[in-house]
Amino acid sequence: MRLTPLVIAATSVALVSPTAAQAHSPGADTPAAPGVSVPGGRYEHAVELRFRAERGTTVRYTLDGTTPTRDSSVHSPGRPLRIKKDTNVTAVAFRGGQSSVPVSYGYLIKSREKPLARLVVMSDVHVGSHASADKKYESFFDTIGSIFPQPDAILSNGDMINDNGDGKGPDHRIVSEIFQANLARKGMTDTRLLISNGKHDASLAAIRSGYPRAWFPDSGGGYYESEVKGLHILTVNTATYDSDTAQRTWLKQRLAAITADPAHAGKPVLVQGHRPTTGTTMDGQQASNPRLAEDLSAFPQTVLFSGHSHLNINDDRSIHQRDFTSVNDGSMSYVEIDHGYQMVTEDCLANRFESPTAQALFVEVHKDRTEIARVNIAADKHDIYTGGQWSASRQPPYASAGTLSGATWTVRLKGSTSGQIKDNFRYTDAERNTVAPQFTTRRPLSRVNDAEGGTALRITQAEDDQMVHHYDVDTTDAATGASVVSSKILSDFYFAPRPNTLDIPVPGAAEGGRYVARVVAVDAYGNASPAASLTFRK
């Protein structure tokens, strides 16, 4: 928490080192990315930023999540950039025909009002060794500390390790060592850590033996209750919930008692469980435990956090309200996107749905509301496969750590009855976004050569009030009417910054051939733009 007003001297500016961008710089002639005078994080006042880059370069920046170009705003050293609301700032240094890699910073701008509790909610850690995780989690905890220097609790919502029935239960001790080392390193001595049981966590006995008792204080069934700053947190075991009568009875009894207490009026009851329940987040994708949804339906004060799916939190379908609030918490190892789409990768157009992005939620519970900030722990653009090998464990430094993956969600429990609380829900199916994306450039489509000299269709990305999810791309041979490309292609919304253009290969394009392309931009709710079209030759 930063309370001291920011003062930046005009003649001496301390800068955050752009080591992440420099580490991934493609060549010696490429400028290093700019440094920034105020690191990303959570602030209780507006911040003023200055950039500094190598002599002879010009710094350009964006505030909308896009990658700066030579047409973007120029930073003037004598005029600081003032950030007054939640913003991602991305900067690039240009020199002649060269440009640095982009570096992005996320800023959460809050009031001085003190929340009742601050919690980090994460899941799907999937750690298997110190070698792959030590440096990553140093970076991850640095990002956590930039937002919540002293979180009251960290909820790690299942799948801490990679056990598939193959005896990896002892790996829980590796995770414990990594987490304990970073809690100590960051001075988070009073931070509670609360773990739920996931699909890949071996056995309950392995969890109990791997962590301090306070991190998993169950009584034998993998479920338990905790209290943090007067806030009730109920951890359920979603591996057994539907068939576990004792667990179901316990949950309903505790919810009934907590919500009947006048001292708890207006406060949420937080429930964490690894697997999502049916009919809730992300249109019910990868959900199970229908009886959990049934049991929570009588308690609209409940906020259920779930993981398991790895589905990204950029998508506003990751929060859902009907009878209670359900929130998808993303993944700390890699995220997924709905299946059935293609990605533009470093090598080709691929049937792929994973991105090497780590995400978590930063939750602030106030007397009258709960604010849930969505944060990228790392979201650099690169392919999850390198040379055909899985590469989700890319090591730091990251040029995107701490960027925001969407606007903060605000949950309010307004009303004195269950019906009144539900009537005031805002993230319901009935309130889904209906604004369609729009192409805003005069020529959103163009024909370009790809790296191998082949023909590609370049899409200049459309704009949307939330995010463009994908593009429906149809390219046909003008002479024969035969389809050359017919695909739904993801927009790369899961990277920070997102690229301004996408190059779609046109395989087998014949020399002199004439082709017709038609492209529609679509958001996560299916709202579609007017089509953009282009006729071009190889």
Side-chain angles (χ1 to χ4, degrees):
M1 186 169 62
R2 299 172 173 88
L3 299 177
T4 304
L6 179 67
V7 178
I8 302 176
T11 57
S12 178
V13 179
L15 289 154
V16 177
S17 171
T19 52
Q22 289 173 332
H24 300 143
S25 177
D29 295 334
T30 302
V36 67
S37 59
V38 183
R42 179 190 184 277
Y43 294 86
E44 294 181 355
H45 49 72
V47 298
E48 294 185 343
L49 308 180
R50 285 185 171 89
F51 302 104
R52 183 178 292 167
E54 294 173 342
R55 186 178 298 276
T57 63
T58 299
V59 176
R60 295 181 181 271
Y61 66 90
T62 61
L63 305 177
D64 61 358
T66 60
T67 303
T69 68
R70 286 178 170 79
D71 295 324
S72 299
S73 298
V74 176
H75 169 65
S76 172
R79 182 177 297 174
L81 174 63
R82 186 172 177 82
I83 305 299
K84 299 186 290 185
K85 61 181 182 179
D86 296 354
T87 306
N88 280 339
V89 178
T90 302
V92 170
F94 293 90
R95 180 174 57 216
Q98 297 286 330
S99 61
S100 73
V101 296
V103 61
S104 299
Y105 306 90
Y107 297 88
L108 286 166
I109 308 300
K110 301 289 187 178
S111 72
R112 294 181 184 271
E113 179 188 4
K114 301 299 182 286
L116 303 175
R118 295 184 178 94
L119 308 99
V120 182
V121 183
M122 62 174 68
S123 72
D124 298 275
V125 168
H126 288 292
V127 163
S129 70
H130 279 286
S132 65
D134 281 356
K135 292 299 182 183
K136 282 179 59 176
Y137 272 85
E138 285 185 11
S139 174
F140 289 0
F141 270 83
D142 286 345
T143 298
I144 291 171
S146 73
I147 299 172
F148 291 164
Q150 295 288 332
D152 296 306
I154 296 174
L155 279 56
S156 195
N157 203 0
D159 276 6
M160 306 291 283
I161 63 169
N162 298 306
D163 186 89
N164 292 289
D166 50 359
K168 292 185 178 178
D171 285 357
H172 280 293
R173 296 183 182 179
I174 298 174
V175 187
S176 180
E177 291 164 0
I178 292 171
F179 275 52
Q180 289 189 74
N182 281 288
L183 289 168
R185 182 177 65 87
K186 301 301 292 184
M188 298 177 182
T189 53
D190 295 327
T191 298
R192 303 272 299 279
L193 210 148
L194 305 171
I195 295 172
S196 75
N197 176 40
K199 176 182 177 182
H200 296 285
D201 283 327
S203 64
L204 297 179
I207 299 175
R208 292 186 202 110
S209 65
Y211 302 100
R213 173 66 178 165
W215 292 14
F216 190 68
D218 76 317
S219 298
Y223 56 92
Y224 60 92
E225 180 175 355
S226 309
E227 188 172 332
V228 175
K229 293 293 186 74
L231 192 68
H232 292 273
I233 303 173
L234 305 176
T235 298
V236 296
N237 181 3
T238 56
T240 61
Y241 189 86
D242 270 15
S243 59
D244 188 344
T245 303
Q247 182 178 183
R248 293 186 65 198
T249 299
W250 166 80
L251 180 64
K252 288 183 286 186
Q253 287 179 344
R254 290 306 301 138
L255 287 172
I258 295 166
T259 56
D261 183 356
H264 201 271
K267 292 182 183 178
V269 184
L270 304 187
V271 178
Q272 72 162 338
H274 179 64
R275 298 171 187 253
T277 190
T278 52
T280 57
T281 59
M282 293 297 291
D283 294 334
Q285 295 179 63
Q286 301 192 41
S288 59
N289 301 296
R291 288 182 173 175
L292 179 56
E294 175 187 330
D295 293 344
L296 295 179
S297 64
F299 304 102
Q301 302 93 326
T302 300
V303 179
L304 171 68
F305 293 102
S306 61
H308 174 68
S309 68
H310 290 239
L311 287 165
N312 65 92
I313 58 177
N314 309 74
D315 195 318
D316 277 272
R317 291 175 297 166
S318 279
I319 186 170
H320 179 273
Q321 292 178 309
R322 184 173 54 238
D323 297 318
F324 55 94
T325 303
S326 188
V327 186
N328 165 42
D329 61 34
S331 165
M332 291 291 282
S333 52
Y334 66 92
V335 300
E336 294 189 8
I337 300 89
D338 329 40
H339 297 197
Y341 300 90
Q342 290 190 301
M343 286 184 175
V344 178
T345 74
E346 295 172 358
D347 299 321
C348 62
L349 200 60
N351 295 315
R352 195 168 298 164
F353 52 85
E354 312 101 337
S355 171
T357 302
Q359 299 178 325
L361 303 174
F362 288 74
V363 181
E364 298 186 44
V365 180
H366 293 265
K367 291 180 180 179
D368 62 343
R369 69 196 185 280
T370 299
E371 297 179 352
I372 305 172
R374 298 178 270 173
V375 176
N376 295 317
I377 307 299
D380 292 10
K381 179 175 172 56
H382 67 98
D383 195 349
I384 203 165
Y385 288 93
T386 301
Q389 299 296 313
W390 182 259
S391 59
S393 293
R394 190 185 192 195
Q395 295 297 302
Y398 304 113
S400 58
T403 51
L404 311 182
S405 52
T408 293
W409 295 315
T410 301
V411 175
R412 298 182 186 272
L413 302 176
K414 296 174 63 176
S416 56
T417 68
S418 292
Q420 289 172 350
I421 293 172
K422 292 180 184 180
D423 287 344
N424 286 305
F425 281 167
R426 63 179 292 190
Y427 300 105
T428 64
D429 291 341
E431 295 297 324
R432 283 189 165 193
N433 181 280
T434 58
V435 178
Q438 295 289 328
F439 289 105
T440 58
T441 57
R442 214 167 47 144
R443 295 185 60 203
L445 306 181
S446 57
R447 180 251 187 228
V448 296
N449 291 329
D450 61 25
E452 285 73 40
T455 297
L457 174 69
R458 174 165 292 174
I459 302 172
T460 299
Q461 295 233 43
E463 295 182 3
D464 188 64
D465 62 325
Q466 291 183 343
M467 69 176 199
V468 177
H469 182 272
H470 68 275
Y471 295 92
D472 291 340
V473 179
D474 290 288
T475 303
T476 58
D477 186 311
T480 65
S483 176
V484 180
V485 176
S486 181
S487 182
K488 297 179 182 298
I489 297 169
L490 293 164
S491 72
D492 279 0
F493 63 81
Y494 28 83
F495 295 129
R498 62 184 181 275
N500 297 320
T501 62
L502 297 173
D503 288 354
I504 314 304
V506 183
E511 192 67 39
R514 185 166 168 266
Y515 300 90
V516 178
R518 182 179 183 275
V519 178
V520 175
V522 187
D523 71 11
Y525 294 107
N527 301 308
S529 74
S533 59
L534 175 72
T535 299
F536 62 94
R537 292 185 180 275
K538 159 108 171 125

